[in-house]
């Protein structure tokens, strides 16, 4: 663990030194250049799961996103890899304020993007496939034999990104808009009124794994970030709208989250 | 190349347009008397699991219920009036698992025991248990004068561990038989019921079936799956058992009685059980009231309905004369039965 910390601190110092010497990123070995960020956010949530209640719940959530991107040797250096870990915990109330739900979700995403460079390299468009693993729970504090709903699934998504890099009066900044759309996947869902007692205590699993695509799981995740490079660190401000939805086994679900985030970006150069 | 890029862009825009117009929402109802009435009627209509059975039993027609009760709904009716109308509408289901919960009251249907003799008195039970009875988890037990074990389980929500059961059975090992009393046990956790039942069988048995709704139609059910009881791999009771029941033996207790009645050494004695064979789910109304209803039905080993209770093998009621003398007629009959078998 210690050696990893020392390694990353060294890489960070090398990155700083490189920038202070005016070395252009592209002059380095691009595939050894890694961008890592961690952002935290707060925002709103609108929650519906008809297995638990036909009423919508609204509340707030705390958000965390960790991202790592790097260029790969593949495709003549035009392919980048992104890994994204995204999690939130939320609390919400029904409209009458008589019941509450707690939710916790996390997803791990792995994407390869093909990079198109435009406007003398200031603008990059990225497009590629993304693998998404997601899981979590919603817990209704008032229900009896249907108190919670588990969420678990894997998706193959299309991911697109536009990245614009420029300077605002000597301040380098990077703007990025990313859109991820799951196209095909499988997810766990109990049947319409199947109890978890039946599934887990009695082992009746039939019909609980469901094929999904945009017709029964129309999901969108937008992400907009601005990175401002104050030396010696880069500040990230962001907004994420994650519109999770599904309608399988006659159970309707949505979790619409809007989050404003703040974080730090680290640029590392692997020797 | 240019054409393929354009086609790709148009395709993407079409997918995005579709996604941006694909909000998955549930039908919503206003928080008005009419809106709450509609919401409750539809929740039950889509999710309640005994419509067909109760239509056959006593002619329940949920559409007719809508017409009859909708007449009582007015825009300016008081909240308590609305609660009463909705509670009465739910009582048409004749189901102890159906309730409407407001902060100030719970609407319920309790005729399944209120219209019948109690057949249990805890003050008379004290004459048998005494004050030095033993407690193992949710179980109270003692040894009666004629060397019969008396075990009372009053609530399947009270936990029992395998250790509780093994130690209790070890304590009672020298008894000639057991009176297992689940009268006035209103149910609780099915897992506790199965844990206890597994001590009374030496073989794996199919005790019934369970199913659940697959969709909103009244008859849209999954294929029933068999329910099995596995014998415990620890100490098991090998002597005669008389299982005492009354009308308040309900829900998980009804399920327990259904399992136990299939074991060769078990005799069920007392009154018919209260029933309650649908696992209840919860939902809610726009005004915030919570509603509970039967959602997942279970059946007996021949796919027979258990919703309205299980008849005992030996029907016994408490006698007023016995009660006046501090005697529990059903326990006395059980003692007689065990001493003669």
């Amino acid at each position: 663990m210690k050696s990893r910390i020392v390694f990353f601190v060294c890489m960070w110092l090398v990155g700083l030194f490189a920038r202070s010497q005016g070395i252009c990123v592209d002059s380095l070995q691009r595939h050894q250049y890694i961008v890592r960020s961690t952002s935290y956010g707060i925002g709103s949530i609108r929650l519906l799961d008809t297995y638990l209640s036909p009423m919508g719940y609204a509340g707030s959530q705390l958000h965390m996103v960790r991202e790592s991107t790097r260029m790969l040797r593949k495709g003549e250096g035009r392919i980048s890899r992104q890994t994204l870990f995204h999690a939130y915990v939320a609390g919400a109330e029904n409209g009458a304020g008589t019941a509450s739900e707690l939710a916790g979700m996390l997803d791990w995403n792995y994407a390869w993007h093909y990079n198109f460079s435009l406007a003398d390299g200031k603008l990059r468009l990225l497009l590629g496939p993304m693998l998404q693993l997601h899981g979590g729970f919603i817990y209704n504090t008032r229900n009896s034999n249907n108190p919670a709903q588990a969420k678990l699934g894997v998706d193959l998504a299309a991911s697109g990104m536009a990245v614009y890099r420029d300077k605002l009066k000597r301040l380098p900044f990077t703007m990025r808009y990313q859109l991820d759309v799951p196209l095909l996947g499988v997810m766990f869902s109990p049947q319409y009124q199947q109890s978890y007692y039946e599934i887990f205590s009695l082992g009746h699993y039939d019909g609980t794994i469901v094929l999904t695509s945009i017709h029964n799981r129309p999901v969108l995740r937008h992400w907009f970030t601005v990175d401002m490079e104050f030396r010696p660190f880069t500040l990230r401000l962001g907004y994420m709208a994650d519109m999770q939805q599904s309608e399988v086994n006659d159970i309707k679900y949505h979790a619409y989250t809007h989050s404003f985030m703040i974080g730090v970006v680290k640029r590392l150069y692997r020797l | 190349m240019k054409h393929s890029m354009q086609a790709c862009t148009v395709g993407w825009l079409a997918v995005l347009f579709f996604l941006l117009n694909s909000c998955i929402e549930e039908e919503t109802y206003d928080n008005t008397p009419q809106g709450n009435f509609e919401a409750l009627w539809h929740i039950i209509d889509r999710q309640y699991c005994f419509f067909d059975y109760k239509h056959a039993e006593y002619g329940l027609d949920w559409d007719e219920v809508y017409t009859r009760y909708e007449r009582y709904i007015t825009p300016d009716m008081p909240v308590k009036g609305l609660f009463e109308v909705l509670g009465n509408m739910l009582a048409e289901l004749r189901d102890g698992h159906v309730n409407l919960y407001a902060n100030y009251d719970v609407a319920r249907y309790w005729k399944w025991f209120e219209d019948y003799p109690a057949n249990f008195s805890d003050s008379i039970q004290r004459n048998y248990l005494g004050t030095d009875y033993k407690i193992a988890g949710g179980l109270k037990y003692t040894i009666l004068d004629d060397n019969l074990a008396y075990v009372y389980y009053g609530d399947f929500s009270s936990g029992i561990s395998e250790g509780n059961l093994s130690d209790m059975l070890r304590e009672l090992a020298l008894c000639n038989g057991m009176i297992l009393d689940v009268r006035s046990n209103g149910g609780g956790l099915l897992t506790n019921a199965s844990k206890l039942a597994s001590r009374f069988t030496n073989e794996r048995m199919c005790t019934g079936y369970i199913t659940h709704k697959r969709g909103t139609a009244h008859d849209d059910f999954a294929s029933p799956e068999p329910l099995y009881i596995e014998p415990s791999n620890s100490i098991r009771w090998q002597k005669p058992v008389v299982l005492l029941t009354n009308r308040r033996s309900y829900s998980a207790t009804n399920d327990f009685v259904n399992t136990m009645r299939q074991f060769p050494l078990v005799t069920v004695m007392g009154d018919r059980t209260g029933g309650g064979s649908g696992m209840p789910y919860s939902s809610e109304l726009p005004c915030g009231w919570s509603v509970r209803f039967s959602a997942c039905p279970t059946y007996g080993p021949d796919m027979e309905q258990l919703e309205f209770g299980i008849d005992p093998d030996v029907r016994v009621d408490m006698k007023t004369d016995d009660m006046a003398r501090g005697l529990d007629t059903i326990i006395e009959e059980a003692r007689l039965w065990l001493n003669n078998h």
Side-chain angles (χ1 to χ4, degrees):
Chain A
M1 186 64 191
K2 263 187 181 175
S3 61
R4 285 185 71 185
I5 293 170
V6 171
F7 172 76
F8 284 121
V9 169
C10 290
M11 294 308 96
W12 181 59
L13 290 173
V14 168
L16 274 183
F17 175 74
R19 264 187 295 172
S20 70
Q21 297 301 304
I23 298 171
C24 175
V25 168
D26 290 340
S27 71
L28 299 170
Q29 290 291 314
R30 287 174 51 152
H31 64 272
Q32 288 176 297
Y33 190 67
I34 303 169
V35 179
R36 284 191 180 156
S37 73
T38 305
S39 306
Y40 297 93
I42 191 165
S44 65
I45 185 166
R46 281 178 52 210
L47 204 52
L48 170 78
D49 192 309
T50 57
Y51 184 79
L52 306 174
S53 167
M55 302 296 149
Y57 281 60
S60 50
Q61 39 88 15
L62 293 172
H63 224 83
M64 196 269 273
V65 179
R66 292 195 71 174
E67 183 195 12
S68 170
T69 56
R70 67 179 291 195
M71 297 304 296
L72 301 178
R73 291 175 199 271
K74 296 178 175 59
E76 298 172 350
R78 284 179 170 276
I79 294 175
S80 59
R81 185 202 69 191
Q82 180 189 40
T83 56
L84 194 66
F85 177 78
H86 165 227
Y88 70 80
V89 288
E93 276 194 344
N94 64 0
T98 56
S100 56
E101 286 184 349
L102 304 172
M105 298 288 162
L106 53 89
D107 58 76
W108 181 83
N109 309 263
Y110 185 91
W112 279 3
H113 292 112
Y114 190 84
N115 288 237
F116 300 92
S117 189
L118 304 167
D120 295 331
K122 282 186 175 177
L123 177 65
R124 279 191 302 145
L125 296 178
L126 291 78
L127 196 64
M130 175 181 264
L131 180 72
Q132 299 182 322
L133 304 175
H134 51 92
F137 71 93
I138 307 173
Y139 173 66
N140 187 300
T141 56
R142 191 165 67 165
N143 284 5
S144 52
N145 285 310
N146 55 330
Q149 175 73 299
K151 300 287 175 194
L152 193 64
V154 56
D155 289 310
L156 184 62
S159 175
M161 208 187 301
V163 182
Y164 181 74
R165 186 177 165 83
D166 206 341
K167 280 187 178 172
L168 185 68
K169 291 185 181 176
R170 288 194 170 183
L171 176 69
F173 72 91
T174 306
M175 285 197 299
R176 178 265 297 270
Y177 171 74
Q178 181 168 350
L179 176 66
D180 304 322
V181 179
L183 299 175
L184 196 65
V186 289
M187 66 177 279
F188 164 83
S189 171
Q191 291 194 21
Y192 182 58
Q193 278 190 187
Q194 188 175 21
S195 66
Y196 279 82
Y197 168 75
E198 276 183 86
I199 299 170
F200 293 113
S201 295
L202 304 177
H204 302 163
Y205 301 106
D206 282 359
T208 57
I209 303 298
V210 186
L211 270 174
T212 58
S213 70
I214 57 171
H215 76 287
N216 60 1
R217 192 171 136 72
V219 169
L220 276 178
R221 183 171 61 203
H222 306 264
W223 194 16
F224 179 72
T225 58
V226 180
D227 296 350
M228 287 170 287
E229 297 179 25
F230 302 106
R231 287 175 187 175
F233 68 93
T234 300
L235 178 72
R236 169 168 289 181
L237 299 175
Y239 162 75
M240 182 184 277
D242 190 10
M243 320 302 264
Q244 294 288 326
Q245 306 185 102
S246 66
E247 185 172 358
V248 296
N249 290 342
D250 265 339
I251 296 170
K252 293 177 182 174
Y253 160 71
H254 72 223
Y256 303 144
T257 61
H258 298 271
S259 309
F260 291 95
M261 293 181 297
I262 186 166
V264 177
V265 181
K266 291 180 220 166
R267 290 184 164 76
L268 307 170
Y269 185 77
R270 293 174 74 104
L271 290 175
Chain B
M1 180 68 184
K2 195 177 175 184
H3 287 297
S4 62
M5 281 290 282
Q6 281 175 344
C8 188
T9 307
V10 169
W12 263 109
L13 288 173
V15 168
L16 280 179
F17 182 78
F18 171 79
L19 290 170
L20 290 170
N21 287 283
S22 301
C23 285
I24 292 176
E25 298 279 0
E26 180 60 313
E27 191 177 352
T28 55
Y29 299 95
D30 297 333
N31 186 9
T32 60
Q34 186 68 33
N36 283 295
F37 171 79
E38 296 283 345
L40 180 60
W41 188 88
H42 279 102
I43 286 167
I44 298 298
D45 186 54
R46 290 168 184 158
Q47 298 186 256
Y48 188 66
C49 68
F50 289 123
F51 279 124
D52 287 352
Y53 170 60
K54 292 190 176 178
H55 178 71
E57 282 291 302
Y58 65 92
L60 173 66
D61 179 346
W62 196 236
D63 292 327
E64 183 274 328
V65 168
Y66 178 96
T67 311
R68 187 148 40 95
Y69 283 87
E70 208 234 354
R71 290 200 300 257
Y72 300 114
I73 305 296
T74 57
D76 53 352
M77 70 191 300
V79 172
K80 290 187 179 176
L82 176 66
F83 184 81
E84 190 178 339
V85 172
L86 298 186
N88 290 341
M89 182 171 82
L90 292 179
E92 298 283 345
L93 298 168
R94 301 188 191 178
D95 189 332
H97 275 146
V98 175
N99 298 101
L100 183 65
Y101 298 89
N103 282 335
Y104 64 92
D105 200 4
V106 178
R108 70 261 177 195
Y109 177 83
W110 281 355
K111 286 182 184 294
W112 44 276
F113 72 87
E114 285 174 338
D115 287 356
Y116 300 92
N119 277 322
F120 180 73
S121 161
D122 55 357
S123 54
I124 295 175
Q125 187 199 32
R126 244 178 267 156
N127 298 336
Y128 295 86
L129 272 176
T131 52
D132 57 349
Y133 61 85
K134 293 180 177 166
I135 299 172
L139 299 159
K140 295 174 182 174
Y141 65 99
T142 191
I143 299 174
L144 303 177
D145 296 341
D146 44 1
N147 197 33
L148 294 173
Y150 176 75
V151 180
Y152 183 67
Y153 200 169
D155 183 359
F156 276 115
S157 300
S158 301
I160 41 168
S161 67
E162 296 293 350
N164 290 145
L165 291 170
S166 295
D167 285 354
M168 182 190 76
L169 293 178
R170 233 176 255 123
E171 286 276 320
L172 302 174
L174 296 178
C175 293
N176 297 330
M178 179 189 288
I179 299 169
L180 179 53
D181 192 347
V182 291
R183 287 178 295 171
S184 297
N185 181 334
L189 297 179
L190 284 169
T191 45
N192 285 337
S194 304
K195 201 184 287 180
L196 179 58
S198 70
R199 298 296 182 132
F200 296 92
T201 181
N202 294 323
E203 58 187 37
R204 183 176 194 253
M205 289 175 75
C206 173
T207 59
Y209 293 85
I210 188 169
T211 185
H212 55 263
K213 291 194 75 180
R214 289 183 314 176
T216 56
H218 288 188
D219 59 353
D220 191 357
F221 286 92
S223 302
E225 296 274 357
L227 291 165
Y228 292 99
I229 185 81
E230 302 279 349
S232 167
N233 55 13
S234 187
I235 298 172
R236 296 192 296 269
W237 186 259
Q238 305 293 333
K239 295 174 185 173
V241 177
V242 174
L243 180 64
L244 307 190
T245 57
N246 67 357
R247 290 274 174 173
R248 295 194 74 168
S249 303
Y250 190 72
S251 191
T253 311
N254 195 59
D255 188 75
F256 176 73
V257 174
N258 172 55
T259 303
M260 291 288 287
R261 68 176 173 152
Q262 294 166 57
F263 301 154
L265 290 174
V266 175
T267 303
V268 182
M269 187 178 284
D271 200 353
R272 185 182 173 91
T273 62
S277 63
M279 184 186 288
Y281 272 23
S282 304
S283 189
E284 61 187 324
L285 306 186
C287 63
W289 293 342
S290 173
V291 57
R292 192 175 79 134
F293 54 88
S294 297
C296 303
T298 51
Y299 305 92
D302 300 319
M303 278 300 290
E304 71 274 30
Q305 286 281 359
L306 307 173
E307 167 65 0
F308 287 140
I310 299 166
D311 277 324
D313 299 317
V314 182
R315 175 70 195 273
V316 181
D317 281 325
M318 298 266 275
K319 290 179 183 160
T320 318
D321 293 352
D322 287 343
M323 290 172 73
R325 289 187 289 139
L327 294 175
D328 185 317
T329 316
I330 303 174
I331 294 179
E332 292 302 324
E333 283 293 328
R335 293 173 84 167
L336 206 59
W337 177 276
L338 286 168
N339 286 321
N340 292 332
H341 285 80

